[in-house]
Amino acid sequence: MKTKKILALVLVAVMLLALCIGCKKADADTGSSSGSSSSSGSSSSSGSSSSGSSSGSSSGSTTPSGPPAGNTDDSGKFVLKQSDIQETGKKAYEQAKAGKQVDHVIAVNSSSSYDPAPFGGTGGHEAIQPLLYANLCAMPDYASKLEDLQMWLAKSVDYDPATKLLKVELWDYIVDSQGNKITAQDVEYCYLYTRDEAATCQGCSSVSNDLQSIKVVDDYHIEFQLKETIGPGAVEDFLTIVEIVDSDWHKNASADDKTTRPACTGAYVIKDIQVGANITYEAWDYWQKDVSLRPNQALQNVKTIYYNVISEAAMRVIALENGEVDYSPVDATNIYRFFDVEKEEAKDGYTVLYRFGNHNRELMYNNDNGVTSGINSVFNNQKLRQAFSTAIDCYQAAIGFGNTETSFVLVNDTGMPGAQDWLDKWYEESWYEYDVDEALRLLQESGHSKDEGLTVRLLTNGATTNLAGCAVYQAFWADIGVTTDILGYDQALFNTYKFNSAEWDLINDVKPNGFGICPIGWNDIFDPTAYENGGACFTHDDHLVELLKAANMIHDEASVDAFHQYQMTMNYEYPISCSYSYYVAQDGITGIWLTCNAYKNFPVWGSFTYADDYKSVA
């Protein structure tokens, strides 16, 4: 293993030199997804059609798929640690009810790309939204069920699963920060706007996918007729994903007003902003005076929040160590400076929250069969896909993407490890274990050979860590005679080309893992109704779609396992790994609370807990 590790790291360095020539407009400061994107790795097997076991001729070993030792119970089952979030949420309420409010906190935004306007279209908007704009309901914990949701603008909700009719009653005293009254007409406007502009709102495809019609009953009652095809977790998502603002204000406000002086329904307003550099939030005289009726997301345990952009990971670490900021996300490479990984506890002077990110790293094959686009991909070939997956040591690939040995877990599915519908037996599966001889055999069965000089195009966001990981793929595929052209683009071009099957043969991307409910992650890749050409990897497979529908509609162990087994056998995409996300604060901050919606996993400083003697570092 050590020899192979060293070899992989050397290959990364060598290949990066070559990549500098081939990359197009690479943006080293931009990740391949928003927010807490994660790295991925998965050992996979071909089911009945290809061998999943590693032979004696394997040229390297693969770390077993499944949970790292530090995150298992006595049975070896992965334990997703939610206690920190739950306990912080409870204590944050105690502080809020007691009227305790610290003066200010200095926090870090890692990206200069954000739009504070309602329904903002940039990837960074999701980090801005939780403080400024309210939803109908909020999630107190990851993958909360309908009965667990916290009411926000909604006073009550009633859902009939038989008729798919969702009834919502609003509080009759909601006003925004500019005094505009919020009624059911505003809710209707925002849901329809989100439906029509879903491409600019991460996660809002659930609205266009699931909403059939809206009926405003009166000023404070509204009914949503949802589609028959609505899946697990979708109602909860539907109630917690759409930002609600005053419709007249939104229609008439200038672009500058929306960005710098928005009318807010959340617990904070923008006091000052330098777009791309910093935002100053301030708690306002919130419309919901009874703190016990607020969700965690609308607490105001700090008066002023200074939110400053520090795009370089190393500089964020230095800012924390030098006492320049109170809070920052920290990458896995540097977390050891604040956290003892072996003991799983923060070092003196710091508070640390860690958990799996809501994305998995995926290697997706272009499965286009030419029916829609006229492009018949070379990877419209199951055996070839399996050959390429078998040729990869996923552990080394995950390391290549910037992980450390303790910062990720290899995965056997696109869903999140430890999700409520994740099956324990998936941990024991060995899909496509790294084996060069087996890969060559599958290559031969696919109609190709090591000597033919096959060349493929691998599309990726051009961030440095992405290029390094793709170089590892490139090196492994060279062992089976394949030349890989790595096409590295900036985020905007990457987002354009990823939907064009003529532009790539394979793609390195991170995709939502459903964050607690596997079919939500599966839908993001394979739901053909959300794409013009079959899915995120241009898959045209009626049986796959039927299994996906069953997993959504029936959602029992058999239907969930059936989809998982078939997708992994067909190998349309290869889940690689899921990484931890780390959040670090000075120890005067005693608890870190994050939003819990499937698509929004961001800090809410008003819901942090603070020591009685807390003082900001500056």
Side-chain angles (χ1 to χ4, degrees):
M1 174 65 79
K2 290 182 179 179
T3 301
K4 189 63 184 174
K5 257 195 253 184
I6 294 170
L7 173 60
L9 294 176
V10 171
L11 286 170
V12 168
V14 173
M15 293 301 172
L16 277 176
L17 294 176
L19 287 174
C20 291
I21 300 173
C23 296
K24 302 178 177 68
K25 300 182 181 179
D27 179 1
D29 293 329
T30 306
S32 56
S33 183
S34 66
S36 54
S37 64
S38 61
S39 199
S40 50
S42 147
S43 288
S44 133
S45 147
S46 63
S48 60
S49 55
S50 82
S51 89
S53 62
S54 180
S55 69
S57 59
S58 173
S59 59
S61 60
T62 301
T63 297
S65 295
N71 294 279
T72 58
D73 60 18
D74 292 338
S75 68
K77 180 181 177 182
F78 172 69
V79 178
L80 182 59
K81 296 190 173 181
Q82 306 287 24
S83 59
D84 289 340
I85 290 290
Q86 294 168 349
E87 289 305 311
T88 296
K90 294 175 184 177
K91 293 177 181 177
Y93 264 112
E94 293 172 6
Q95 291 195 358
K97 290 177 181 178
K100 295 181 180 180
Q101 186 183 64
V102 302
D103 184 69
H104 70 275
V105 65
I106 302 174
V108 169
N109 182 7
S110 61
S111 173
S112 60
S113 175
Y114 58 79
D115 182 359
F119 320 109
T122 65
H125 177 72
E126 286 76 21
I128 306 298
Q129 180 270 336
L131 292 170
L132 299 178
Y133 307 112
N135 309 119
L136 290 175
C137 301
M139 289 187 178
D141 198 4
Y142 301 111
S144 298
K145 297 183 182 299
L146 185 61
E147 59 269 23
D148 301 322
L149 296 184
Q150 296 175 328
M151 297 300 103
W152 198 348
L153 298 183
K155 181 179 180 180
S156 66
V157 298
D158 178 69
Y159 177 61
D160 184 347
T163 63
K164 313 297 182 185
L165 183 63
L166 174 64
K167 298 180 179 180
V168 177
E169 180 184 6
L170 303 175
W171 298 104
D172 61 7
Y173 49 80
I174 305 169
V175 293
D176 66 24
S177 59
Q178 297 183 14
N180 303 305
K181 196 169 181 64
I182 302 297
T183 66
Q185 287 81 5
D186 300 308
V187 174
E188 177 190 39
Y189 170 84
C190 293
Y191 269 84
L192 293 177
Y193 186 92
T194 299
R195 180 197 66 183
D196 298 336
E197 303 294 332
T200 68
C201 172
Q202 185 181 11
C204 288
S205 59
S206 62
V207 177
S208 57
N209 290 344
D210 300 326
L211 176 61
Q212 182 169 306
S213 61
I214 302 178
K215 177 183 177 181
V216 174
V217 179
D218 57 38
D219 279 352
Y220 303 108
H221 294 82
I222 187 168
E223 296 178 357
F224 301 94
Q225 181 61 58
L226 305 181
K227 296 178 181 178
E228 284 294 322
T229 54
I230 193 166
V235 177
E236 294 84 351
D237 218 28
F238 187 88
L239 287 165
T240 60
I241 197 70
V242 176
E243 303 164 20
I244 306 299
V245 296
D246 179 69
S247 54
D248 288 337
W249 171 81
H250 189 259
K251 292 173 186 176
N252 299 316
S254 68
D256 183 62
D257 282 341
K258 291 176 182 178
T259 299
T260 62
R261 294 173 293 277
C264 300
T265 50
Y268 287 82
V269 296
I270 293 179
K271 181 179 180 181
D272 184 54
I273 182 171
Q274 304 295 322
V275 176
N278 57 70
I279 303 175
T280 300
Y281 298 101
E282 191 161 71
W284 62 287
D285 185 17
Y286 200 51
W287 61 269
Q288 185 59 276
K289 307 304 180 188
D290 187 342
V291 173
S292 67
L293 296 178
R294 298 186 194 181
N296 274 98
Q297 203 168 316
L299 300 183
Q300 297 174 313
N301 288 347
V302 59
K303 180 181 178 181
T304 305
I305 301 164
Y306 298 100
Y307 192 37
N308 302 322
V309 172
I310 304 179
S311 57
E312 291 290 336
M315 296 305 295
R316 293 195 292 273
V317 169
I318 292 172
L320 275 169
E321 291 182 328
N322 289 350
E324 298 168 3
V325 299
D326 296 303
Y327 161 90
S328 178
V330 172
D331 62 295
T333 305
N334 290 295
I335 192 59
Y336 71 92
R337 298 161 83 158
F338 310 98
F339 186 73
D340 189 319
V341 176
E342 295 299 323
K343 294 181 180 179
E344 296 185 41
E345 60 185 32
K347 294 185 176 180
D348 289 345
Y350 300 103
T351 294
V352 177
L353 173 69
Y354 70 102
R355 50 165 309 282
F356 277 131
N358 55 1
H359 289 71
N360 289 355
R361 185 167 297 281
E362 309 284 344
L363 176 64
M364 297 195 296
Y365 297 101
N366 181 342
N367 304 290
D368 206 345
N369 62 5
V371 173
T372 301
S373 65
I375 303 297
N376 193 355
S377 171
V378 66
F379 284 107
N380 183 26
N381 181 326
Q382 180 188 16
K383 294 294 184 181
L384 186 61
R385 297 191 296 268
Q386 293 172 343
F388 270 63
S389 295
T390 305
I392 298 169
D393 183 330
C394 293
Y395 179 86
Q396 299 299 339
I399 294 293
F401 280 105
N403 288 288
T404 63
E405 291 184 0
T406 55
S407 72
F408 70 98
V409 61
L410 298 179
V411 292
N412 271 340
D413 192 84
T414 305
M416 187 184 73
Q420 60 181 257
D421 50 3
W422 182 280
L423 302 184
D424 290 346
K425 68 176 185 177
W426 295 352
Y427 287 129
E428 308 305 319
E429 296 173 348
S430 33
W431 296 91
Y432 312 114
E433 289 186 6
Y434 172 56
D435 186 335
V436 174
D437 290 345
E438 176 64 12
L440 288 170
R441 185 187 71 77
L442 289 164
L443 186 69
Q444 193 75 31
E445 287 189 18
S446 75
H448 297 275
S449 70
K450 182 177 182 179
D451 299 326
E452 77 172 74
L454 179 63
T455 297
V456 297
R457 299 163 300 164
L458 174 60
L459 179 67
T460 184
N461 167 277
T464 303
T465 53
N466 285 326
L467 298 179
C470 287
V472 175
Y473 288 151
Q474 184 184 54
F476 280 125
W477 292 331
D479 289 341
I480 60 172
V482 175
T483 298
T484 306
D485 292 338
I486 299 176
L487 308 178
Y489 295 93
D490 63 32
Q491 189 68 38
L493 284 175
F494 176 77
N495 286 340
T496 297
Y497 291 146
K498 69 193 295 184
F499 298 113
N500 186 345
S501 66
E503 293 293 336
W504 53 273
D505 302 310
L506 309 101
I507 186 171
N508 161 59
D509 202 359
V510 290
K511 303 296 288 184
N513 56 23
F515 216 65
I517 303 174
C518 290
I520 294 178
W522 298 342
N523 292 338
D524 196 83
I525 298 177
F526 295 111
D527 181 2
T529 65
Y531 297 90
E532 295 180 356
N533 188 9
C537 45
F538 317 117
T539 306
H540 301 270
D541 184 333
D542 291 340
H543 185 56
L544 180 80
V545 173
E546 289 303 313
L547 291 173
L548 182 60
K549 286 181 180 178
N552 277 279
M553 300 296 293
I554 302 173
H555 197 234
D556 60 4
E557 181 173 327
S559 61
V560 168
D561 190 44
F563 178 86
H564 163 82
Q565 298 295 336
Y566 183 74
Q567 196 296 115
M568 292 302 291
T569 298
M570 297 305 293
N571 197 207
Y572 290 125
E573 56 82 30
Y574 191 28
I576 303 297
S577 65
C578 184
S579 295
Y580 292 112
S581 294
Y582 291 97
Y583 310 86
V584 179
Q586 58 123 319
D587 61 2
I589 294 173
T590 56
I592 296 170
W593 195 84
L594 309 175
T595 54
C596 300
N597 179 280
Y599 293 90
K600 294 180 287 187
N601 179 31
F602 298 97
V604 182
W605 299 278
S607 300
F608 282 16
T609 56
Y610 299 85
D612 290 338
D613 60 351
Y614 166 84
K615 289 185 179 180
S616 174
V617 293

